[in-house]
Every structure is written in C-alpha cells, then in structure tokens.
Amino acid sequence: MNDTNDFSGKNGKVKVMYVRSEEQDNNKGNDKRRGGRDDKRDDRRGDKRSGGRNDRNDRNDRNERSGRSGRPEGGRSERRSDNDRRSSSRDSAPRGEQSPWRTVSKPGSDELENDHGGISGKSQIDPEQLRKQRQEETRIYGENACQAMFKNRPDGIVRAWFLQSVTPRFRDALKWMAANRKAYHVVDEEELTKASGTEHHGGVCFIIKKRGGMAAETYLENAVDTDCVLALEDVGNPHNLGGIMRSCAHFGVKGVILQDAGMLESGAAIRTAEGGAEHIKAIDADGFTPTLNKFREAGYTIVTTSSHKGSQDIAKVQLPKKMVLVLGQESDGLSDSTWDQGDMSLYIGGTGKVESLNVSVATGIMLSQWWSQNKVK
C-alpha cells in the first residue's frame, strides 16, 4: 500500500486530515493493513541480529527510512504527530463533552482583572488573601439600612444587588457605583434572596467592609462632657441589637460596649436598626469589668439595671450627664460581678404582670429618660 497516494495531493504536498472520533475503528483497520509492512521490518531486524543481512540491504533500509525512496520526507511523522495532537485534545476534554476537533484557547482578557477587591469577576489575587478579605466583609440588607450606608460610608460598599422596583430610589447610589467601578446587579426575587441569605431583604443587599470595634481608650480620647455610653453583657440576639442601635441613634448615644463588637455587624441587626447602625461606634470590651473601670476613671458614672435586685425607680432619680448604662440579657440579667460595678442601680416601674421588659424596649425607655433630663442636642 502506498502511503503517498493516500495522504498527498496532486502537487505532492501532504494533506492534513482531521479524523472524527467515530472513525477510530477505520483507523484501527488501517493499522492492521500496515501490520504486514511492520512485520517485514521486524523480520529484517531479526536478520540483522542474526548476521544474515548484508550491507546493501542496510543501505536500502536507511534510504527508505530517510525518505530517499521517493516518499515525502517527514510525511509519516507529520501524520502521526497530527493524530497525536487530536488524540490529546480529545483526552483533555471533560467526560461527556469530548469534542472530535482540536480547540484553541483564547488569550486572557483585561476584563478578568480584579477591580472590586476580589469580589467581582475572576479574582487574580492570592486565595489566602481573598479568604482573609472576605472575613473582613459582611452583608447588609433593607432599604433604610443600605440608604444610610451609602449616605455615610459609600467607600465601604464592595458590591450590591437590587430588585428593579427599588432602583428609582437608589438612583444616586447606582450612578455613584458606576462612576467608581463598584459591581452591582439588578436581579429577580429568587437571586436576591440567595445573595442576601434571607427573604426579608427589602429589595436590596450590599456587601460592605466591616468597621470592627475600637478600643475604650480611643473612644475616651474624644469624649464630651454630656455623654451616655451603653454597655451590653451577653446580649446576642441580632434583632434586639438592631432595636437597641435604633434607640441609641434616636437619643444621641454613640458608643456601645460589647464583649464581641462584631455582633453589631450582622445583616439582621443592621436591617432592624433601620439606618441607626451607621451612627453607632462599637467599643471592644477586653474584659467587661476592666473596661467599665476605664470609663469610671474617665469621669463616667456606672449605672446598672435589674428587676430582681434592690434598685431605684428610674422615674424618680436624676440621671448623671456622663454615664455608662449597663444592661444584661432578659432571662438572667447582669452577672454578680458586673452588678457589683454599679455606682447606681435602676429599674423601670410597671404593673408587675410580667417579670421584665424586652432588653431593647427597656433600653429605649431608659435612654428616653436620660435624654429628657439632660436635653442633649
């Protein structure tokens, strides 16, 4: 069989043939037809080992292999290499999606470069750096919460999702994000629920940079003569925290002491605060009692609250201008060690038909009393 007739055109050049996967059986047949020639070559090798071949046969074989017998030099190797490339391309394709043709990958595009801190597009930053960065971010949702975020800290926005119905009310935010290359998406209800992690998203969700808590010393550097700071011991319900932040913002309280300042960064707490979270500074309590002592040394009166122990009715006392109001969880109230830190102890009078008030409700009543007595403006 003459290989040149099979693979060469009229001009003598070797044709490149792309073989579809379903024709592999035909290729196997060709291998069988070429088997006779290969067997003869093996026989000749055997003769050489046995010493039966002469120099003339050796030269003829070398000429045949080097292409001087009339076949195009390199034709067979080119044909084999081409088959190898096609086989490699098929093997590298995912199972179930193998293509019979070799594909060429497109060069990288500038559009894949990271423009949004590793959040939008395909990140080009180190995976460990990306993981750390996402730990420093949180999701917030709710129309008032997101509007307040945009008004007070637009640079803290990383990415956003909107329902079409709320975009008219976020027109300024959308223009700003487009101008500052912040990623945003107008999506349907299902996708927004997935992005925010809740059905109570209010039509919008932001990924923002966490602020984190500040040290007590940092807060005290800018303390004023009339100031109320809230201290929360073991209060962790995000909806209660959101209600507390809303009351704090309404009555001019700027600092909240917590054992874990990150609790004020949850999406549920920020949504419940309805924009109030942007006016609150979280203060890290590196040990609750030592932190209270730092405020006492700075001139603050420590005011504890409880409905279980001997206290004064808040409606009958004058509250100090500079104080730390300490509240605990509803069920157990303040711990004994924290209770003992109080310079003054208060309770909210009522009918007694219920044991206590919700902690966020109690906070609102006490802050209202402090505000009305001290007229903070």
Side-chain angles (χ1 to χ4, degrees):
M1 179 177 177
N2 192 333
D3 291 345
T4 306
N5 293 335
D6 288 343
F7 295 95
S8 299
K10 294 180 179 181
N11 56 4
K13 294 183 178 179
V14 176
K15 298 178 183 178
V16 178
M17 301 181 67
Y18 292 92
V19 182
R20 294 183 63 87
S21 58
E22 57 264 31
E23 294 177 2
Q24 290 178 354
D25 292 337
N26 295 335
N27 290 340
K28 292 180 181 179
N30 292 338
D31 292 340
K32 291 180 180 180
R33 287 194 295 273
R34 288 195 297 268
R37 185 171 61 234
D38 294 336
D39 291 340
K40 292 178 181 179
R41 186 177 298 151
D42 291 339
D43 292 339
R44 288 196 294 269
R45 291 196 191 99
D47 292 339
K48 183 176 182 180
R49 287 193 298 269
S50 62
R53 295 188 62 180
N54 54 36
D55 293 341
R56 181 176 179 182
N57 288 336
D58 290 342
R59 284 195 300 272
N60 289 341
D61 286 343
R62 285 196 297 270
N63 291 340
E64 181 180 357
R65 286 195 296 271
S66 64
R68 287 197 294 269
S69 62
R71 293 173 181 159
E73 184 173 354
R76 187 178 305 156
S77 62
E78 286 182 15
R79 188 166 64 254
R80 185 180 298 111
S81 297
D82 190 67
N83 289 336
D84 291 342
R85 285 194 297 270
R86 290 195 298 275
S87 176
S88 176
S89 175
R90 289 193 299 272
D91 292 341
S92 63
R95 181 176 294 273
E97 299 181 4
Q98 292 186 358
S99 170
W101 311 113
R102 183 166 60 94
T103 59
V104 179
S105 299
K106 295 183 179 179
S109 169
D110 293 338
E111 294 178 358
L112 300 182
E113 292 185 0
N114 172 31
D115 292 328
H116 303 289
I119 299 302
S120 178
K122 294 185 178 179
S123 173
Q124 303 298 314
I125 65 177
D126 181 74
E128 180 63 22
Q129 182 182 349
L130 179 60
R131 183 191 64 80
K132 182 179 179 182
Q133 182 171 306
R134 287 181 172 170
Q135 288 180 339
E136 297 172 353
E137 297 169 350
T138 188
R139 295 172 190 262
I140 66 170
Y141 41 86
E143 186 170 334
N144 289 336
C146 291
Q147 288 281 22
M149 175 68 196
F150 171 67
K151 182 179 179 180
N152 293 277
R153 290 191 296 135
D155 290 336
I157 300 173
V158 177
R159 190 172 184 173
W161 292 264
F162 302 90
L163 291 182
Q164 182 66 48
S165 59
V166 306
T167 54
R169 298 189 291 278
F170 281 89
R171 184 177 293 107
D172 293 339
L174 291 168
K175 289 180 180 179
W176 184 88
M177 290 180 195
N180 290 273
R181 303 187 71 184
K182 300 284 186 177
Y184 69 87
H185 315 274
V186 178
V187 297
D188 58 21
E189 180 79 25
E190 182 179 356
E191 188 169 352
L192 185 54
T193 298
K194 183 178 179 180
S196 63
T198 178
E199 295 179 352
H200 307 291
H201 46 65
V204 58
C205 173
F206 287 175
I207 293 180
I208 66 169
K209 297 176 182 177
K210 291 181 180 178
R211 290 177 293 179
M214 64 170 58
E217 294 82 357
T218 304
Y219 181 88
L220 291 171
E221 288 175 358
N222 301 310
V224 295
D225 292 335
T226 302
D227 187 30
C228 179
V229 173
L230 197 66
L232 303 175
E233 183 184 42
D234 296 329
V235 178
N237 184 294
H239 298 96
N240 285 339
L241 290 172
I244 289 170
M245 286 193 287
R246 188 172 183 177
S247 295
C248 287
H250 184 74
F251 293 114
V253 174
K254 298 179 180 179
V256 178
I257 301 171
L258 301 102
Q259 292 148 312
D260 180 5
M263 292 189 297
L264 296 186
E265 300 281 357
S266 76
I270 293 175
R271 180 188 65 81
T272 307
E274 294 288 351
E278 292 302 316
H279 305 282
I280 305 303
K281 298 176 181 178
I283 303 170
D284 276 315
D286 187 13
F288 208 71
T289 298
T291 302
L292 294 179
N293 285 331
K294 292 176 183 178
F295 277 86
R296 179 184 287 110
E297 293 170 0
Y300 286 78
T301 300
I302 308 301
V303 179
T304 57
T305 58
S306 176
S307 61
H308 303 291
K309 301 176 182 179
S311 305
Q312 302 179 70
D313 190 337
I314 191 174
K316 300 177 181 179
V317 299
Q318 177 65 39
L319 297 177
K321 287 187 175 182
K322 203 171 186 177
M323 75 174 192
V324 177
L325 180 63
V326 188
L327 294 101
Q329 57 179 311
E330 294 175 37
S331 58
D332 298 327
L334 297 175
S335 64
D336 290 338
S337 59
T338 301
W339 169 266
D340 293 338
Q341 291 293 314
D343 302 313
M344 179 187 294
S345 182
L346 304 174
Y347 75 94
I348 300 171
T351 64
K353 292 181 178 180
V354 292
E355 184 178 3
S356 63
L357 292 170
N358 175 274
V359 64
S360 65
V361 174
T363 300
I365 293 172
M366 291 187 169
L367 294 183
S368 174
Q369 187 74 357
W370 176 81
W371 172 268
S372 64
Q373 291 180 1
N374 294 283
K375 303 295 183 182
V376 177
K377 296 182 180 179

